[in-house]
Amino acid sequence: MCNTLINVYVKDGDLVSANDVFDEMPEKNSVTWACLISGYTQNEKPKDAFAAFGRMVSAGFIPNHYALGSALRACQRLGAEGLKHGIQIHGLVSKTRYAFDVVVCNVLISMYGSCIEGSIGSDYAWRVFDGISNKNSISWNSIISVYSQRGDVDTVFGLFSFMQKEGIGFSFRPSEYTFGSLIATASESLNIDCGLSLLKQLLAKIEMSGFIEDLYVGSALVSGFAKFGAIDTAKSIFQQMGTRNAVSVNGLMVGLVNVKRGEEAVEVFFEMRDFVRLNTDTYVLLLSAFVEFSCLEDGKRKGKEVHGYITRTGISDSSIAVGNSLINMYAKCGAIQDASSVFSLMCDKDSVSWSSMISGLDQNECFEDALLSLRTMKRNGLIPSNFTLISTLSSCSSLGWMRMGEQIHGEAIKLGLDWDVSVSNTLLSLYADTGCITECRKLFSFMHNHDQVSWNSIIRAFNDSEESVTEATKYFIEMMRSGWVPNSVTYINILAAAASLSCIELTHQVHALVLKHRLMDDNSVKNSLLTCYGKCGEMKDCEIIFSRMSERDDVSWNSMISGYIHSNFLVEAMNLVWLLLQKGQRLDSFTFATVLSACASVATLEHGMEVHACATRACLASDVVIGSALVDMYAKCGRIDYSSRFFELMPLRNLYSWNSMISGYARHGDGHKALKMFTRMKLENQEPDNVTFVGVLSACSHVGLVSQGYEHFDSMSKVYGLAPRIEHFSCMVDLLGRAGDFDKLEEFINRMPINPNILIWRTVLSACGRANGRLPALGKRAAEMIMELEPQNGVNYVLLANMYASGEKWEHVAKARRAMKVAEAKKEAGCSWVSMKDGIHIFVSGDKSHPEKDAIYEKLGELHKKMKEVGYVPETRYALYDVEVEHKEELLSYHSERLAVAFVLMRKSKLPIRIMKNLRVCGDCHMAFKYISQIVDREIVLRDSNRFHHFRCGECSCNDYW
């Protein structure tokens, strides 16, 4: 009677009453003790169960298999902490008749499986299992469960097979527990195909066994199939289940969220909420479903509705997990203010709350707020997790805050999180983005483990210079030698490195590996190959890849257009743009900017205006990227008035817009306007960069503002913290050289903190040439330096010859030309070109190849005659050969720009004449163009290698200061 009372109280969870009955019993037996021990175990009081078991043994009672089983289950519930007691009880069991009792041994199997991790626990459990002479279905289920917890697929299914063979005649039929372990094991398989195949085989067997409607088995199947993305199968099983609970609902929702079918997951929730008692995990899953909506705005709206419901019911107040999910949902839907409100109203916050908020701020580009939140989190005594550090390091990378990143790196080392490969990978990206290549190399060598992302990150870091690209290739080879198979991201990174150097050999080798690893179906890889071959000038290869692409995205078209432009195939690039437009495809801002840049590079104003019209029709002209490209294009095509007008109409300007306008004015010789634009830029709080100061110093150079040039040069470091680069020193050398202040020029070069490069010495030599040979010492020094630095470049010999020719030192000119011949150096041929409706016409000096050559030379003769009539006298000092005066005049008369202007004047028009020249215009042609503009009463715009010259009514915009 007392034993029955104890059992009743135990089942009701009333252990106090059970103890009272136990204590009042005058006589106790083994069953009484077993009831008490079982009561403690069932009510999650394992330590009290041990104590009762110890008192029982001390009192001289021999434990029966129920008492032993309950005590061993208490050990199992304590995990590793209960192992010591479990071994002691096992030792006691071995001395009794229960050493081979199947009930006790079954519990021992489960105890060892739970208390000892890894293969050692499995081995102990196996020894007990192997020692059972009369195994039953529970024995098999117990050992299968042990190996299932280890994820040992082969052993679990091997044991299941043996169980069925052994069970012939003994009715060892699989139960719901057997199938539960088998499904769990198959679901944890790392090989998706293998796991899915096993689940399908189990499903067939379960349907035959009649367990498909079982709640436990059905829920496990739904979760398993959903996890592998077999949603239709999971939904079918879900519909067949006799009853459903939160586990089955959650399993199906997890699968739907994982395959980004958030709308369907929400439908499941609303269908089942009135039939199933849902738990906190269900609401967490529901909130994660909203971020997988095809329209995030709809997801946010639905999320707000659910937020209102869980607030009214008090769910969000009682669960930190739900609050964290709300933060995550709002952040991923772009509603960072709502996420912040939820966070601030949470009564209790854990490290996940802070991590979710910091991650949300980083994702929504609130980088500084993310870093401030990390500081607040630490002040509140919470320790950042690896996810927190990853988000804050990402914010540092976006801001370019390397110092802050280093501090967080130190924090990671203190917390031992630098061992986390994801943290180290984020650090690699930070150092790569901030140009800290040495730190990247050091960090990678100190990393304890490398994964695919680590190798991809280190390869990406090394693609800026010749030295680092070589190192990227070394890491790529080392990666493959370490057993890693490159993925699409790896190939994209190594191809970017090859493209930066235009290295065709490396491109061919990587292309071969892409084919070997069957990644040519990946559009991103094909786009990278297009870019790489395009930068290497191999447009035939580009065309083959492009023609074989089944799907072409914006990047594919842009890569082809950029490749054509890089290879100077502007017509082909424009044809591709027209094809895109004819196909009805919307061009993006990058495409327009790329084409406009090409039009600017060869000064094809008509094509540029056509592209402008297309951008306007596509409603993209107000885009800041396209707008800036238009400002640059019009400036480089000679229409600085259009450039200025469009600049003023821009609703939003960026740094590139200001730089294009400043350099445009400088290039057109209007230095004063360029400097006014710079002043206005500062007033509008746009911080200048190094490119800005190249434009500003060029403006000072073109109008001879030496003192202002010095002021702006000094302000770079003193006011803006910008270290002058070699191009800024070159601008100052040019400024002083044009002004003829050679004493200051020599002093400036001698005081430069960096060694003058070839550009500096060429600028010096050009300045000496304009000084009519008055400074042979400085010119000779410059000549020696450029011959030492670039002995194979013909431009250097030409500059030297020009310097001597300007001083009529013909023997030195001949010597320079002989040296050029000995060195086998070649110079770029001077040419001029004009863009007409029937295409681009190119001319070289003394050209006889043009189809209309006779008419051109006749027109040129007429012009020369009229020019001389109004006072033109050829400046024969610009004919750089020691020949008779008449021959010098003839040489000057047939320069390429004169042939070009004569050709244009053959056509009837009053529009400005636009001529491009690849070299600097000579002084005699400059003088001639002033006369021609007066004679024909038309504006002539000449763009040479240095600047624009606008000739109107016998005057030039440069005021002869060039």
Side-chain angles (χ1 to χ4, degrees):
M1 181 63 180
C2 291
N3 291 343
T4 304
L5 273 173
I6 292 171
N7 273 327
V8 170
Y9 285 130
V10 163
K11 285 180 181 177
D12 290 339
D14 189 356
L15 293 179
V16 175
S17 298
N19 261 314
D20 290 342
V21 173
F22 180 84
D23 292 337
E24 291 174 3
M25 287 178 68
E27 291 185 12
K28 302 175 179 74
N29 57 24
S30 296
V31 175
T32 311
W33 284 99
C35 289
L36 185 65
I37 295 165
S38 175
Y40 282 125
T41 302
Q42 289 173 26
N43 287 277
E44 303 295 335
K45 292 185 179 271
K47 293 185 179 178
D48 291 334
F50 293 146
F53 184 79
R55 294 201 308 273
M56 175 185 180
V57 174
S58 300
F61 289 92
I62 297 173
N64 59 19
H65 59 268
Y66 297 112
L68 291 167
S70 295
L72 287 168
R73 285 192 189 91
C75 298
Q76 183 180 345
R77 285 193 169 90
L78 280 173
E81 189 183 343
L83 179 62
K84 180 178 69 173
H85 299 292
I87 291 172
Q88 290 172 352
I89 295 169
H90 191 181
L92 179 63
V93 167
S94 64
K95 298 174 185 176
T96 68
R97 61 191 176 91
Y98 298 111
F100 301 101
D101 182 89
V102 67
V103 174
V104 175
C105 288
N106 289 345
V107 183
L108 276 168
I109 291 168
S110 298
M111 186 275 294
Y112 279 124
S114 297
C115 292
I116 307 177
E117 292 183 0
S119 59
I120 297 173
S122 306
D123 291 344
Y124 273 73
W126 177 260
R127 287 175 196 170
V128 175
F129 174 80
D130 201 37
I132 304 172
S133 54
N134 299 313
K135 300 179 181 71
N136 60 16
S137 58
I138 297 174
S139 312
W140 285 100
N141 285 340
S142 298
I143 194 67
I144 287 172
S145 177
V146 168
Y147 282 100
S148 174
Q149 291 168 26
R150 307 286 185 271
D152 192 338
V153 178
D154 294 336
T155 304
V156 166
F157 281 88
L159 284 168
F160 178 59
S161 178
F162 282 128
M163 172 186 175
Q164 292 177 300
K165 289 177 184 176
E166 291 279 331
I168 298 173
F170 294 95
S171 298
F172 287 173
R173 292 178 182 174
S175 67
E176 64 270 31
Y177 302 108
T178 319
F179 285 125
S181 295
L182 293 169
I183 294 167
T185 307
S187 301
E188 292 301 319
S189 175
L190 296 176
N191 186 322
I192 294 175
D193 293 334
C194 173
L196 198 53
S197 174
L198 288 171
L199 282 178
K200 287 177 180 177
Q201 294 175 51
L202 283 171
L203 176 59
K205 193 160 189 68
I206 289 165
E207 286 176 331
M208 289 172 57
S209 304
F211 281 105
I212 193 68
E213 294 186 9
D214 182 84
L215 179 62
Y216 175 64
V217 175
S219 297
L221 279 171
V222 168
S223 297
F225 278 108
K227 180 180 178 182
F228 288 131
I231 302 299
D232 293 336
T233 307
K235 290 176 84 171
S236 174
I237 296 166
F238 186 78
Q239 296 298 330
Q240 294 178 61
M241 290 174 65
T243 56
R244 306 178 188 98
N245 63 2
V247 175
S248 47
V249 173
N250 292 352
L252 183 56
M253 287 178 67
V254 166
L256 288 165
V257 170
N258 286 343
V259 295
K260 302 190 182 303
R261 287 159 68 171
E263 289 92 340
E264 291 181 53
V266 174
E267 284 176 16
V268 170
F269 170 83
F270 284 109
E271 284 173 10
M272 301 307 301
R273 65 176 177 175
D274 295 329
F275 303 100
V276 174
R277 187 175 180 179
L278 303 174
N279 56 22
T280 302
D281 291 341
T282 315
Y283 287 99
V284 169
L285 282 167
L286 176 64
L287 290 166
S288 69
F290 296 124
V291 304
E292 301 301 343
F293 271 40
S294 54
C295 174
L296 274 182
E297 196 60 37
D298 290 343
K300 182 173 72 174
R301 182 172 50 80
K302 283 279 187 183
K304 283 193 171 186
E305 291 174 9
V306 172
H307 184 188
Y309 172 76
I310 62 179
T311 301
R312 288 194 302 274
T313 54
I315 296 171
S316 58
D317 294 332
S318 60
S319 172
I320 294 178
V322 171
N324 295 343
S325 298
L326 280 166
I327 294 169
N328 189 53
M329 182 271 293
Y330 279 126
K332 288 186 175 176
C333 288
I336 193 62
Q337 293 301 324
D338 292 322
S340 298
S341 297
V342 172
F343 180 78
S344 61
L345 292 171
M346 285 176 69
C347 301
D348 297 313
K349 302 181 184 79
D350 59 9
S351 58
V352 177
S353 314
W354 283 95
S355 185
S356 300
M357 192 65 235
I358 291 169
S359 175
L361 289 165
D362 175 61
Q363 291 165 12
N364 287 273
E365 300 184 0
C366 302
F367 307 122
E368 293 185 35
D369 290 334
L371 295 170
L372 288 170
S373 295
L374 174 65
R375 186 173 65 180
T376 309
M377 175 186 181
K378 288 167 62 181
R379 283 179 178 171
N380 287 348
L382 289 166
I383 298 173
S385 67
N386 54 342
F387 299 109
T388 316
L389 295 184
I390 287 168
S391 296
T392 48
L393 286 168
S394 172
S395 292
C396 289
S397 182
S398 300
L399 291 166
W401 288 5
M402 194 264 290
R403 293 274 178 86
M404 178 66 77
E406 285 179 332
Q407 291 174 17
I408 297 173
H409 189 178
E411 185 78 18
I413 293 170
K414 285 182 199 172
L415 297 171
L417 291 174
D418 56 321
W419 285 67
D420 186 289
V421 70
S422 297
V423 173
S424 295
N425 289 343
T426 313
L427 279 164
L428 275 176
S429 294
L430 166 68
Y431 288 131
D433 291 342
T434 52
C436 302
I437 302 299
T438 304
E439 285 75 8
C440 279
R441 193 185 294 113
K442 192 184 298 182
L443 174 63
F444 188 82
S445 65
F446 286 153
M447 284 174 68
H448 305 285
N449 294 303
H450 300 123
D451 62 7
Q452 189 101 41
V453 177
S454 314
W455 287 103
N456 289 345
S457 299
I458 194 69
I459 292 168
R460 182 178 70 85
F462 293 95
N463 59 7
D464 292 331
S465 64
E466 185 171 351
E467 180 185 354
S468 57
V469 170
T470 305
E471 196 156 358
T473 310
K474 289 178 182 176
Y475 278 110
F476 178 64
I477 295 167
E478 188 182 338
M479 174 187 181
M480 292 189 290
R481 285 176 178 166
S482 299
W484 289 94
V485 177
N487 62 9
S488 57
V489 177
T490 319
Y491 285 118
I492 290 167
N493 290 338
I494 193 65
L495 285 168
S500 67
L501 270 188
S502 302
C503 184
I504 191 62
E505 293 85 0
L506 178 59
T507 306
H508 283 315
Q509 291 172 5
V510 174
H511 192 173
L513 284 170
V514 168
L515 292 169
K516 179 181 176 182
H517 291 130
R518 300 180 180 179
L519 284 171
M520 274 305 285
D521 290 335
D522 190 305
N523 242 34
S524 299
V525 175
K526 283 190 277 194
N527 288 339
S528 295
L529 281 166
L530 282 177
T531 302
C532 212
Y533 279 123
K535 287 193 175 178
C536 293
E538 301 291 330
M539 289 311 298
K540 289 293 181 187
D541 290 315
C542 285
E543 288 166 353
I544 291 169
I545 294 169
F546 190 73
S547 65
R548 292 176 180 173
M549 292 177 77
S550 55
E551 292 182 11
R552 298 172 184 140
D553 56 17
D554 290 342
V555 179
S556 316
W557 290 96
N558 288 337
S559 298
M560 280 302 294
I561 293 166
S562 298
Y564 279 130
I565 289 168
H566 183 76
S567 299
N568 294 320
F569 296 155
L570 183 62
V571 174
E572 287 81 354
M574 295 301 293
N575 287 340
L576 213 53
V577 172
W578 306 145
L579 179 61
L580 266 172
L581 294 170
Q582 286 169 9
K583 287 167 68 71
Q585 189 161 335
R586 181 182 170 88
L587 275 68
D588 64 6
S589 57
F590 181 81
T591 310
F592 278 116
T594 302
V595 178
L596 287 167
S597 175
C599 295
S601 65
V602 291
T604 54
L605 178 63
E606 291 77 10
H607 283 320
M609 293 179 79
E610 288 172 4
V611 176
H612 185 180
C614 291
T616 302
R617 286 197 296 272
C619 301
L620 286 172
S622 59
D623 180 272
V624 69
V625 175
I626 296 175
S628 301
L630 282 166
V631 170
D632 186 58
M633 183 274 293
Y634 280 124
K636 287 179 178 175
C637 289
R639 293 309 304 259
I640 192 67
D641 52 338
Y642 284 11
S643 185
S644 174
R645 192 184 309 162
F646 192 81
F647 177 84
E648 297 300 335
L649 291 171
M650 286 178 73
L652 182 68
R653 305 181 186 101
N654 61 12
L655 180 61
Y656 185 74
S657 319
W658 289 99
N659 287 349
S660 297
M661 202 65 244
I662 291 169
S663 61
Y665 277 130
R667 198 178 292 113
H668 282 265
D670 204 335
H672 296 289
K673 280 189 179 178
L675 296 176
K676 283 180 182 177
M677 186 62 65
F678 178 56
T679 303
R680 182 177 157 194
M681 173 186 181
K682 291 184 290 182
L683 290 172
E684 294 191 22
N685 297 317
Q686 176 65 64
E687 195 77 11
D689 67 352
N690 283 294
V691 177
T692 315
F693 278 100
V694 171
V696 169
L697 294 174
S698 295
C700 294
S701 176
H702 284 305
V703 290
L705 301 174
V706 176
S707 59
Q708 286 193 44
Y710 268 111
E711 287 174 13
H712 290 303
F713 182 79
D714 291 339
S715 74
M716 284 185 68
S717 53
K718 293 177 181 177
V719 179
Y720 300 102
L722 298 170
R725 298 177 180 175
I726 195 71
E727 54 265 32
H728 302 107
F729 287 105
S730 178
C731 287
M732 288 301 294
V733 168
D734 187 56
L735 170 65
L736 294 169
R738 286 179 188 277
D741 201 339
F742 290 98
D743 291 335
K744 284 186 178 179
L745 171 60
E746 196 159 8
E747 181 187 352
F748 183 83
I749 291 173
N750 293 335
R751 293 177 60 185
M752 279 174 57
I754 54 178
N755 290 327
N757 67 353
I758 189 71
L759 179 62
I760 298 286
W761 291 118
R762 276 200 198 126
T763 306
V764 172
L765 205 56
S766 295
C768 291
R770 290 192 295 272
N772 297 326
R774 287 188 289 107
L775 295 158
L778 182 59
K780 186 177 179 182
R781 179 186 170 193
E784 289 172 353
M785 293 306 300
I786 63 173
M787 295 306 170
E788 181 182 326
L789 292 168
E790 280 189 358
Q792 301 300 317
N793 193 329
V795 173
N796 301 330
Y797 296 94
V798 173
L799 286 172
L800 183 59
N802 289 352
M803 182 187 73
Y804 287 127
S806 66
E808 299 188 354
K809 295 183 171 61
W810 302 114
E811 69 281 2
H812 289 89
V813 172
K815 187 177 178 182
R817 295 188 181 279
R818 282 196 301 272
M820 179 178 173
K821 191 174 182 180
V822 170
E824 297 183 350
K826 293 182 180 179
K827 78 176 187 74
E828 182 182 9
C831 68
S832 298
W833 65 95
V834 289
S835 179
M836 308 292 284
K837 288 182 179 179
D838 57 345
I840 297 174
H841 295 260
I842 303 172
F843 302 90
V844 295
S845 183
D847 195 0
K848 299 285 186 179
S849 62
H850 197 278
E852 300 179 56
K853 61 179 183 299
D854 294 334
I856 291 171
Y857 277 91
E858 184 181 345
K859 187 69 175 178
L860 197 55
E862 291 177 13
L863 285 173
H864 284 168
K865 184 179 179 182
K866 290 179 180 179
M867 284 160 55
K868 287 188 175 181
E869 287 175 357
V870 293
Y872 165 68
V873 177
E875 296 192 37
T876 54
R877 64 191 176 94
Y878 290 107
L880 305 176
Y881 289 89
D882 186 17
V883 292
E884 296 298 325
V885 173
E886 293 79 7
H887 194 193
K888 285 186 178 184
E889 286 186 21
E890 185 180 348
L891 287 172
L892 293 171
S893 299
Y894 302 139
H895 277 185
S896 62
E897 56 266 50
R898 297 200 195 191
L899 295 173
V901 77
F903 171 73
V904 176
L905 288 170
M906 288 164 53
R907 315 285 179 95
K908 289 185 178 181
S909 175
K910 286 293 181 181
L911 293 174
I913 299 168
R914 302 183 186 282
I915 301 172
M916 280 64 70
K917 182 176 172 67
N918 65 333
L919 302 178
R920 183 175 181 272
V921 63
C922 79
D924 185 64
C925 287
H926 188 269
M927 176 65 72
F929 270 48
K930 289 198 290 184
Y931 279 101
I932 292 170
S933 69
Q934 184 179 3
I935 291 166
V936 300
D937 193 25
R938 283 174 71 179
E939 180 184 357
I940 303 173
V941 181
L942 173 65
R943 191 188 86 171
D944 68 5
S945 59
N946 288 341
R947 64 183 295 167
F948 278 92
H949 298 269
H950 295 258
F951 299 94
R952 297 185 191 93
C953 304
E955 299 293 334
C956 180
S957 59
C958 72
N959 295 318
D960 296 334
Y961 188 87
W962 55 283

